[in-house]
C-alpha cells in the first residue's frame, strides 16, 4: 500500500484554518512584499492573480479586481479589461510552466452557483490534464494534490513577472 502525505491540508479538513481580519483578496493585493505567503503571483493596476489556497487542481488560480465588490455589475470597463487580460496571461503561464493540456475558466456568482466568496468578484482558472480525474474524488471525497502550494508559487511567480511584459 502507498501512503499519500499532505499534512498542510489538516487545518482545512478539520476546519481549523486560521481566520484573518477582512477580505483575503483585498489583504493579498494590499500587502506588498508578502507575495509568497499570500500566494499572490501578479499584481496589476486594477486586478491581480493569486493561487487558490484550497484548489480543485494544482495550479488553480484566481483573478480578482483590486477594488472590493462582489458582482460584475460593480466593475468598470478598465477593470474588466485587466481581469480578462490576466485570465489570458494565466492561461499562457500555466500552459507553459505546468504543461496544462486544457484550462477551465469560470465565475461563480451567488451561493447557489457555487460561490464560496460572495463579496469579492473573482475568476477561476484551473489547469487540466488528460486523466487528471481518478477514483479518489468520486469514492473517497479526496483530491490528491501532488505539489505543495509554496512550491507551485515558486515555479509560477517568475513566469508571471516575465510573461506579464507581453500584456
Amino acid at each position: 500500500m502507498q501512503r499519500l502525505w499532505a499534512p498542510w491540508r489538516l487545518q482545512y479538513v478539520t476546519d481549523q484554518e486560521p481566520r484573518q481580519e477582512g477580505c483575503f483578496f483585498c489583504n493579498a493585493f494590499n500587502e506588498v512584499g508578502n507575495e509568497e505567503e499570500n500566494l499572490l503571483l501578479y499584481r496589476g493596476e486594477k486586478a491581480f492573480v493569486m493561487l487558490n489556497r484550497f484548489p480543485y487542481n494544482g495550479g488553480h488560480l484566481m483573478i480578482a479586481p483590486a477594488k472590493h465588490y462582489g458582482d460584475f455589475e460593480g466593475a468598470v470597463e478598465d477593470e474588466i479589461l485587466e481581469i480578462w487580460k490576466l485570465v489570458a496571461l494565466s492561461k499562457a503561464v500555466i500552459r507553459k510552466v505546468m504543461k496544462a493540456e486544457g484550462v477551465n475558466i469560470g465565475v461563480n456568482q451567488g451561493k447557489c452557483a457555487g460561490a464560496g466568496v460572495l463579496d469579492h468578484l473573482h475568476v477561476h482558472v484551473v489547469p487540466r490534464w488528460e486523466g487528471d480525474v481518478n477514483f479518489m474524488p468520486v469514492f473517497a471525497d479526496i483530491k490528491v494534490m501532488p505539489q505543495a502550494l509554496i512550491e507551485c508559487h515558486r515555479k509560477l511567480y517568475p513566469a508571471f513577472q516575465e510573461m506579464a511584459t507581453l500584456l
Side-chain angles (χ1 to χ4, degrees), residues 47-163:
F48 61 100
V49 182
M50 68 186 299
L51 281 162
N52 188 332
R53 195 168 295 280
F54 306 110
Y56 297 120
N57 258 354
H60 178 167
L61 307 178
M62 297 183 296
I63 294 91
K67 197 164 62 175
H68 187 86
Y69 53 86
D71 201 300
F72 269 112
E73 292 149 2
V76 295
E77 188 174 340
D78 57 345
E79 291 167 334
I80 293 170
L81 179 61
E82 187 168 339
I83 288 168
W84 288 105
K85 281 183 174 184
L86 292 179
V87 167
L89 173 64
S90 296
K91 182 180 170 193
V93 168
I94 59 178
R95 282 185 177 258
K96 178 182 178 184
V97 175
M98 302 187 80
K99 309 294 186 238
E101 297 170 332
V103 179
N104 290 127
I105 298 169
V107 180
N108 302 325
Q109 295 275 264
K111 189 172 184 170
C112 68
V117 177
L118 298 172
D119 60 345
H120 200 124
L121 176 71
H122 57 285
V123 178
H124 294 268
V125 177
V126 182
R128 301 302 305 269
W129 297 268
E130 269 313 305
D132 67 1
V133 177
N134 58 40
F135 71 93
M136 292 291 280
V138 176
F139 291 111
D141 197 28
I142 294 171
K143 178 69 176 175
V144 178
M145 305 305 289
Q147 185 177 47
L149 287 170
I150 296 302
E151 286 178 32
C152 190
H153 185 276
R154 289 176 183 159
K155 283 181 73 172
L156 293 173
Y157 185 85
F160 268 95
Q161 308 320 300
E162 174 188 328
M163 293 175 70

